Amino acid sequence: MSSKDYWNVSDINDNSIRTVLIMTESVHLLISGRVQGVGFRAATLQQAQKHGLTGWVANCRDGSVEVYAEGEANELTAFKNWLRTGPPSARVDQLTTLDPLPLEETHNFEIR
């Protein structure tokens, strides 16, 4: 499940104004397995930046990792596919989609 938000952006070109509709979606995920102490959060940050996403990744007390990301649908899909396996040092046993959060409109991706 993801949440969606729509943004109107005006582009001025040759004295005309063109409106472009940009769709931002979000995902809220929980990743379980051997995902702490193996560089999972740092690798997730790199992947999020590669896909132009914003949001955060955080360790949970139960040994899982929580991820919230915002961006274009196709980039979120590619990011989510990467999260299913993670970095070579990790072992992902389960990727669970959590209830969506309101769009945070963050400006970068961070490790929390």
Coordinates of all heavy atoms in Angstrom, one line a residue, residues 31-104:
I31 N 11.6 -4.5 7.3 CA 12.5 -5.6 6.7 C 13.0 -6.4 7.9 O 13.6 -5.8 8.8 CB 13.6 -5.0 5.9 CG1 13.0 -4.2 4.7 CG2 14.5 -6.1 5.3 CD1 13.0 -2.7 4.9
S32 N 12.8 -7.7 7.8 CA 13.2 -8.6 8.9 C 14.3 -9.6 8.3 O 14.2 -9.9 7.1 CB 12.0 -9.4 9.4 OG 11.1 -8.5 9.9
G33 N 15.1 -10.1 9.2 CA 16.2 -11.0 8.8 C 17.5 -10.6 9.5 O 17.4 -10.0 10.6
R34 N 18.6 -10.9 8.9 CA 19.9 -10.4 9.4 C 20.1 -9.0 8.7 O 20.8 -8.9 7.7 CB 21.0 -11.3 9.1 CG 22.3 -11.0 9.8 CD 23.4 -11.9 9.5 NE 23.9 -11.8 8.2 CZ 24.1 -12.8 7.3 NH1 23.8 -14.0 7.6 NH2 24.5 -12.5 6.1
V35 N 19.5 -8.0 9.3 CA 19.6 -6.6 8.7 C 20.1 -5.6 9.6 O 20.2 -4.4 9.2 CB 18.1 -6.2 8.2 CG1 17.7 -7.1 7.1 CG2 17.1 -6.3 9.3
Q36 N 20.6 -5.9 10.8 CA 21.3 -5.0 11.6 C 22.7 -5.4 11.8 O 23.0 -6.6 11.9 CB 20.6 -4.8 13.0 CG 19.3 -4.1 12.8 CD 18.7 -3.7 14.2 OE1 19.4 -3.7 15.2 NE2 17.4 -3.3 14.2
G37 N 23.6 -4.5 11.9 CA 25.1 -4.8 12.0 C 25.7 -5.3 10.8 O 26.8 -5.9 10.8
V38 N 25.1 -5.1 9.6 CA 25.6 -5.6 8.4 C 25.7 -4.5 7.3 O 25.8 -4.8 6.1 CB 24.8 -6.8 7.8 CG1 25.0 -8.0 8.8 CG2 23.4 -6.5 7.6
G39 N 25.5 -3.3 7.7 CA 25.6 -2.2 6.8 C 24.3 -2.0 6.0 O 24.3 -1.3 4.9
F40 N 23.2 -2.5 6.5 CA 21.9 -2.4 5.7 C 21.5 -1.0 5.6 O 21.0 -0.5 4.5 CB 20.9 -3.3 6.4 CG 19.7 -3.5 5.6 CD1 19.6 -4.6 4.8 CD2 18.6 -2.6 5.5 CE1 18.5 -4.9 4.0 CE2 17.5 -2.8 4.7 CZ 17.4 -4.0 4.0
R41 N 21.5 -0.2 6.7 CA 21.0 1.2 6.6 C 21.9 2.0 5.7 O 21.4 2.8 4.9 CB 21.0 1.8 8.0 CG 19.9 1.2 8.9 CD 19.8 1.8 10.2 NE 21.1 1.7 10.9 CZ 21.6 2.5 11.9 NH1 20.8 3.5 12.3 NH2 22.7 2.3 12.4
A42 N 23.2 1.9 5.7 CA 24.1 2.7 4.8 C 23.8 2.3 3.4 O 23.8 3.2 2.5 CB 25.5 2.4 5.2
A43 N 23.7 1.0 3.1 CA 23.4 0.6 1.7 C 22.0 1.1 1.3 O 21.8 1.4 0.1 CB 23.5 -0.9 1.6
T44 N 21.1 1.1 2.2 CA 19.7 1.6 1.9 C 19.8 3.1 1.5 O 19.1 3.5 0.6 CB 18.8 1.3 3.0 OG1 18.7 -0.1 3.2 CG2 17.4 1.9 2.8
L45 N 20.5 3.8 2.3 CA 20.7 5.3 2.0 C 21.3 5.4 0.6 O 20.8 6.3 -0.2 CB 21.7 5.9 3.0 CG 22.2 7.3 2.8 CD1 21.0 8.3 2.8 CD2 23.2 7.7 3.7
Q46 N 22.3 4.7 0.2 CA 22.9 4.8 -1.1 C 21.9 4.4 -2.2 O 21.8 5.1 -3.2 CB 24.1 3.9 -1.2 CG 25.3 4.3 -0.4 CD 26.5 3.3 -0.4 OE1 26.3 2.2 -0.8 NE2 27.6 3.8 -0.1
Q47 N 21.1 3.4 -2.0 CA 20.1 3.0 -3.0 C 19.0 4.1 -3.1 O 18.6 4.4 -4.2 CB 19.5 1.7 -2.6 CG 20.4 0.5 -2.9 CD 20.7 0.3 -4.4 OE1 19.8 0.3 -5.2 NE2 22.0 0.1 -4.7
A48 N 18.6 4.7 -2.0 CA 17.6 5.7 -2.0 C 18.1 6.9 -2.8 O 17.4 7.5 -3.6 CB 17.2 6.1 -0.6
Q49 N 19.4 7.3 -2.6 CA 19.9 8.4 -3.3 C 20.1 8.1 -4.8 O 19.8 9.0 -5.6 CB 21.3 8.8 -2.7 CG 21.2 9.4 -1.3 CD 22.5 9.5 -0.6 OE1 23.5 8.9 -0.9 NE2 22.6 10.4 0.4
K50 N 20.4 6.9 -5.1 CA 20.5 6.4 -6.5 C 19.2 6.6 -7.2 O 19.2 6.9 -8.4 CB 21.0 5.0 -6.5 CG 21.0 4.4 -7.9 CD 21.4 2.9 -7.8 CE 21.2 2.2 -9.2 NZ 21.6 0.8 -9.1
H51 N 18.1 6.3 -6.5 CA 16.8 6.4 -7.1 C 16.1 7.7 -6.9 O 14.9 7.9 -7.3 CB 15.9 5.3 -6.6 CG 16.4 3.9 -7.0 ND1 16.2 3.5 -8.3 CD2 17.1 2.9 -6.4 CE1 16.7 2.3 -8.4 NE2 17.3 1.9 -7.3
G52 N 16.8 8.7 -6.3 CA 16.2 10.0 -6.2 C 15.1 10.1 -5.1 O 14.2 10.9 -5.3
L53 N 15.2 9.3 -4.1 CA 14.1 9.2 -3.1 C 14.5 10.0 -1.9 O 15.6 10.3 -1.6 CB 13.9 7.7 -2.7 CG 13.6 6.7 -3.8 CD1 13.5 5.3 -3.3 CD2 12.3 7.2 -4.6
T54 N 13.4 10.4 -1.2 CA 13.6 11.0 0.1 C 12.9 10.2 1.2 O 12.1 9.3 0.9 CB 13.0 12.4 0.1 OG1 11.6 12.3 -0.1 CG2 13.6 13.3 -0.9
G55 N 13.3 10.4 2.5 CA 12.7 9.6 3.5 C 13.7 9.3 4.6 O 14.7 10.0 4.8
W56 N 13.6 8.1 5.1 CA 14.5 7.6 6.2 C 14.5 6.1 6.4 O 13.6 5.4 5.9 CB 14.1 8.3 7.5 CG 12.7 8.2 7.9 CD1 11.7 9.2 7.6 CD2 12.0 7.1 8.6 NE1 10.5 8.7 8.1 CE2 10.6 7.5 8.7 CE3 12.4 5.9 9.0 CZ2 9.7 6.7 9.3 CZ3 11.4 5.1 9.6 CH2 10.1 5.5 9.7
V57 N 15.6 5.6 7.0 CA 15.7 4.2 7.4 C 16.2 4.2 8.9 O 17.0 5.0 9.3 CB 16.7 3.5 6.5 CG1 18.1 4.1 6.5 CG2 16.8 2.0 6.8
A58 N 15.6 3.3 9.7 CA 15.9 3.2 11.1 C 15.9 1.8 11.6 O 15.2 0.9 11.1 CB 14.9 4.0 11.9
N59 N 16.8 1.5 12.5 CA 16.8 0.2 13.2 C 15.7 0.2 14.2 O 15.3 1.2 14.8 CB 18.1 0.0 14.0 CG 19.3 -0.4 13.1 OD1 19.1 -0.9 12.0 ND2 20.5 -0.3 13.6
C60 N 15.1 -1.0 14.4 CA 14.0 -1.2 15.3 C 14.6 -2.1 16.5 O 15.5 -2.8 16.3 CB 12.8 -1.9 14.7 SG 12.1 -1.0 13.4
R61 N 14.0 -2.0 17.6 CA 14.4 -2.7 18.8 C 14.4 -4.2 18.6 O 15.1 -5.0 19.2 CB 13.6 -2.3 20.0 CG 13.9 -1.0 20.5 CD 13.1 -0.6 21.7 NE 13.3 0.7 22.1 CZ 12.8 1.3 23.2 NH1 12.1 0.6 24.0 NH2 13.1 2.5 23.5
D62 N 13.4 -4.7 17.8 CA 13.3 -6.2 17.6 C 14.3 -6.7 16.6 O 14.2 -7.9 16.2 CB 11.9 -6.5 17.1 CG 11.5 -6.0 15.8 OD1 12.3 -5.3 15.1 OD2 10.4 -6.2 15.3
G63 N 15.2 -5.9 16.1 CA 16.2 -6.4 15.1 C 15.9 -6.2 13.7 O 16.7 -6.5 12.8
S64 N 14.7 -5.7 13.4 CA 14.3 -5.4 12.0 C 14.7 -3.9 11.7 O 15.3 -3.2 12.5 CB 12.8 -5.5 11.9 OG 12.1 -4.6 12.7
V65 N 14.4 -3.6 10.4 CA 14.7 -2.2 9.9 C 13.4 -1.6 9.3 O 12.7 -2.3 8.6 CB 15.9 -2.2 8.9 CG1 16.0 -0.9 8.2 CG2 17.2 -2.6 9.5
E66 N 13.1 -0.4 9.7 CA 12.0 0.3 9.1 C 12.4 1.3 8.1 O 13.4 2.0 8.3 CB 11.2 1.0 10.3 CG 9.9 1.7 9.9 CD 9.2 2.3 11.0 OE1 9.8 2.3 12.2 OE2 8.1 2.8 10.8
V67 N 11.7 1.4 7.0 CA 12.0 2.3 5.9 C 10.8 3.1 5.5 O 9.7 2.5 5.3 CB 12.5 1.5 4.7 CG1 12.8 2.5 3.5 CG2 13.8 0.8 5.0
Y68 N 10.9 4.4 5.3 CA 9.9 5.2 4.8 C 10.5 6.0 3.6 O 11.6 6.6 3.8 CB 9.4 6.3 5.8 CG 8.4 7.2 5.2 CD1 7.1 6.9 4.9 CD2 8.8 8.5 4.8 CE1 6.2 7.8 4.3 CE2 8.0 9.4 4.2 CZ 6.6 9.0 4.0 OH 5.8 9.9 3.4
A69 N 9.9 5.9 2.4 CA 10.5 6.5 1.3 C 9.4 7.2 0.4 O 8.3 6.7 0.3 CB 11.3 5.5 0.4
E70 N 9.8 8.3 -0.2 CA 8.9 9.1 -1.1 C 9.6 9.3 -2.4 O 10.8 9.5 -2.4 CB 8.6 10.5 -0.5 CG 7.8 10.4 0.8 CD 7.6 11.8 1.3 OE1 8.1 12.8 0.7 OE2 6.9 11.9 2.4
G71 N 8.8 9.2 -3.5 CA 9.4 9.5 -4.8 C 8.5 9.1 -5.9 O 7.3 8.8 -5.7
E72 N 9.0 9.0 -7.1 CA 8.3 8.6 -8.3 C 8.0 7.1 -8.2 O 8.8 6.3 -7.7 CB 9.0 8.9 -9.6 CG 9.1 10.4 -9.8 CD 9.8 10.8 -11.1 OE1 9.8 9.9 -12.0 OE2 10.4 11.9 -11.2
A73 N 6.9 6.6 -8.7 CA 6.4 5.2 -8.6 C 7.4 4.2 -9.1 O 7.7 3.3 -8.4 CB 5.1 5.1 -9.2
N74 N 8.0 4.5 -10.3 CA 8.9 3.5 -10.8 C 10.2 3.4 -10.0 O 10.8 2.4 -9.9 CB 9.2 3.8 -12.3 CG 9.8 5.2 -12.5 OD1 9.6 6.1 -11.7 ND2 10.6 5.4 -13.6
E75 N 10.6 4.5 -9.5 CA 11.9 4.5 -8.6 C 11.6 3.8 -7.3 O 12.4 3.1 -6.8 CB 12.4 5.9 -8.4 CG 12.8 6.7 -9.6 CD 14.0 6.0 -10.4 OE1 14.7 5.2 -9.8 OE2 14.1 6.3 -11.6
L76 N 10.4 4.0 -6.7 CA 10.0 3.3 -5.5 C 10.0 1.8 -5.7 O 10.4 1.0 -4.9 CB 8.7 3.8 -5.0 CG 8.7 5.1 -4.3 CD1 7.3 5.6 -4.0 CD2 9.5 5.1 -3.0
T77 N 9.4 1.4 -6.9 CA 9.4 0.0 -7.2 C 10.8 -0.7 -7.3 O 11.0 -1.7 -6.7 CB 8.6 -0.2 -8.6 OG1 7.3 0.2 -8.4 CG2 8.6 -1.7 -9.0
A78 N 11.7 0.0 -8.0 CA 13.1 -0.5 -8.1 C 13.7 -0.5 -6.7 O 14.4 -1.5 -6.4 CB 13.9 0.4 -9.0
F79 N 13.5 0.5 -5.9 CA 14.1 0.5 -4.5 C 13.5 -0.6 -3.7 O 14.3 -1.4 -3.0 CB 13.7 1.9 -3.9 CG 14.2 2.1 -2.5 CD1 15.5 2.1 -2.2 CD2 13.2 2.3 -1.5 CE1 15.9 2.3 -0.9 CE2 13.6 2.5 -0.2 CZ 15.0 2.6 0.1
K80 N 12.2 -0.9 -3.8 CA 11.6 -1.9 -3.0 C 12.1 -3.3 -3.5 O 12.3 -4.2 -2.6 CB 10.1 -1.8 -3.2 CG 9.3 -2.7 -2.2 CD 7.8 -2.4 -2.4 CE 6.9 -3.3 -1.5 NZ 5.5 -3.1 -1.6
N81 N 12.3 -3.5 -4.8 CA 12.9 -4.7 -5.3 C 14.3 -4.9 -4.7 O 14.6 -6.1 -4.4 CB 12.9 -4.7 -6.8 CG 11.5 -4.9 -7.4 OD1 10.6 -5.4 -6.7 ND2 11.4 -4.5 -8.6
W82 N 15.1 -3.9 -4.6 CA 16.4 -4.0 -4.0 C 16.3 -4.4 -2.5 O 17.1 -5.2 -2.1 CB 17.2 -2.7 -4.2 CG 18.6 -2.8 -3.5 CD1 19.7 -3.3 -4.1 CD2 18.9 -2.5 -2.2 NE1 20.7 -3.3 -3.2 CE2 20.3 -2.8 -2.0 CE3 18.2 -1.9 -1.1 CZ2 20.9 -2.6 -0.8 CZ3 18.8 -1.7 0.1 CH2 20.2 -2.0 0.2
L83 N 15.4 -3.8 -1.8 CA 15.2 -4.1 -0.4 C 14.9 -5.5 -0.1 O 15.1 -6.1 1.0 CB 14.1 -3.2 0.2 CG 14.5 -1.7 0.4 CD1 13.2 -0.9 0.8 CD2 15.6 -1.6 1.4
R84 N 14.3 -6.2 -1.1 CA 13.9 -7.7 -0.9 C 15.2 -8.5 -0.7 O 15.1 -9.6 -0.1 CB 13.2 -8.2 -2.1 CG 11.8 -7.6 -2.2 CD 11.0 -8.1 -3.4 NE 9.9 -7.3 -3.8 CZ 8.7 -7.2 -3.1 NH1 8.6 -7.9 -2.0 NH2 7.8 -6.4 -3.6
T85 N 16.3 -8.1 -1.2 CA 17.6 -8.8 -0.9 C 18.6 -8.0 -0.1 O 19.4 -8.6 0.6 CB 18.2 -9.3 -2.3 OG1 18.4 -8.1 -3.1 CG2 17.4 -10.2 -3.0
G86 N 18.6 -6.7 -0.3 CA 19.5 -5.8 0.5 C 21.0 -6.0 0.0 O 21.2 -6.6 -1.0
P87 N 21.9 -5.5 0.8 CA 23.3 -5.7 0.4 C 23.8 -7.1 0.6 O 23.1 -7.9 1.3 CB 24.0 -4.7 1.4 CG 23.1 -4.7 2.6 CD 21.7 -4.8 2.1
P88 N 24.9 -7.5 0.0 CA 25.4 -8.9 0.1 C 25.6 -9.4 1.5 O 25.4 -10.6 1.8 CB 26.7 -8.8 -0.6 CG 26.7 -7.7 -1.5 CD 25.8 -6.7 -0.8
S89 N 25.9 -8.5 2.5 CA 26.2 -9.0 3.9 C 24.9 -9.2 4.6 O 24.9 -9.8 5.7 CB 27.0 -7.9 4.6 OG 26.3 -6.6 4.5
A90 N 23.7 -8.9 4.1 CA 22.5 -9.0 4.8 C 21.7 -10.3 4.3 O 22.1 -10.9 3.3 CB 21.6 -7.8 4.5
R91 N 20.7 -10.7 5.1 CA 19.8 -11.7 4.7 C 18.4 -11.2 5.0 O 18.0 -11.0 6.2 CB 20.1 -13.0 5.5 CG 19.2 -14.2 5.0 CD 19.2 -15.4 6.0 NE 18.4 -15.1 7.2 CZ 18.9 -15.0 8.4 NH1 20.2 -15.1 8.6 NH2 18.1 -14.7 9.4
V92 N 17.6 -11.0 4.0 CA 16.3 -10.5 4.2 C 15.3 -11.7 4.2 O 15.3 -12.5 3.2 CB 15.9 -9.5 3.0 CG1 14.4 -9.1 3.2 CG2 16.8 -8.3 3.1
D93 N 14.6 -11.9 5.3 CA 13.7 -13.0 5.4 C 12.3 -12.5 5.0 O 11.5 -13.3 4.5 CB 13.7 -13.5 6.8 CG 15.0 -14.2 7.2 OD1 15.7 -14.7 6.3 OD2 15.3 -14.2 8.4
Q94 N 12.0 -11.3 5.3 CA 10.6 -10.8 5.1 C 10.6 -9.3 4.9 O 11.3 -8.6 5.6 CB 9.7 -11.1 6.3 CG 8.2 -10.8 6.0 CD 7.4 -11.4 7.2 OE1 7.9 -11.9 8.2 NE2 6.1 -11.2 7.0
L95 N 9.8 -8.9 3.9 CA 9.6 -7.4 3.7 C 8.1 -7.2 3.8 O 7.3 -7.8 3.1 CB 10.0 -7.0 2.3 CG 9.9 -5.5 2.0 CD1 11.1 -5.1 1.1 CD2 8.7 -5.2 1.2
T96 N 7.7 -6.4 4.8 CA 6.3 -6.2 5.1 C 5.9 -4.8 4.8 O 6.6 -3.8 5.2 CB 6.0 -6.5 6.6 OG1 6.5 -7.8 6.9 CG2 4.5 -6.3 7.0
T97 N 4.8 -4.6 4.1 CA 4.3 -3.2 3.9 C 3.5 -2.8 5.1 O 2.5 -3.5 5.5 CB 3.4 -3.2 2.6 OG1 4.3 -3.6 1.5 CG2 2.9 -1.8 2.3
L98 N 3.8 -1.7 5.7 CA 3.1 -1.1 6.8 C 2.1 -0.1 6.4 O 2.1 0.3 5.2 CB 4.1 -0.5 7.8 CG 5.2 -1.4 8.3 CD1 6.2 -0.6 9.1 CD2 4.7 -2.5 9.1
D99 N 1.2 0.3 7.3 CA 0.2 1.3 7.0 C 0.9 2.5 6.5 O 2.0 2.9 7.1 CB -0.6 1.6 8.3 CG -1.5 0.5 8.6 OD1 -1.9 -0.3 7.8 OD2 -1.9 0.4 9.8
P100 N 0.4 3.2 5.5 CA 1.0 4.4 5.0 C 1.1 5.5 6.0 O 0.2 5.6 6.9 CB 0.2 4.8 3.8 CG -1.1 4.1 4.0 CD -0.9 2.9 4.8
L101 N 2.1 6.3 5.9 CA 2.3 7.5 6.7 C 1.9 8.7 5.9 O 2.0 8.6 4.6 CB 3.7 7.7 7.2 CG 4.3 6.6 8.1 CD1 5.8 6.8 8.3 CD2 3.5 6.5 9.4
P102 N 1.5 9.8 6.4 CA 1.2 11.0 5.6 C 2.5 11.4 4.9 O 3.6 11.2 5.5 CB 0.8 12.1 6.7 CG 0.5 11.3 7.9 CD 1.2 10.0 7.9
L103 N 2.4 11.9 3.7 CA 3.6 12.4 3.0 C 4.4 13.4 3.9 O 3.8 14.3 4.4 CB 3.3 13.0 1.7 CG 2.9 12.1 0.6 CD1 2.5 12.8 -0.6 CD2 4.0 11.1 0.3
E104 N 5.7 13.2 4.1 CA 6.5 14.1 4.9 C 7.1 15.2 4.1 O 7.6 16.1 4.7 CB 7.5 13.3 5.7 CG 6.9 12.3 6.7 CD 8.0 11.5 7.5 OE1 9.2 11.9 7.4 OE2 7.6 10.6 8.2

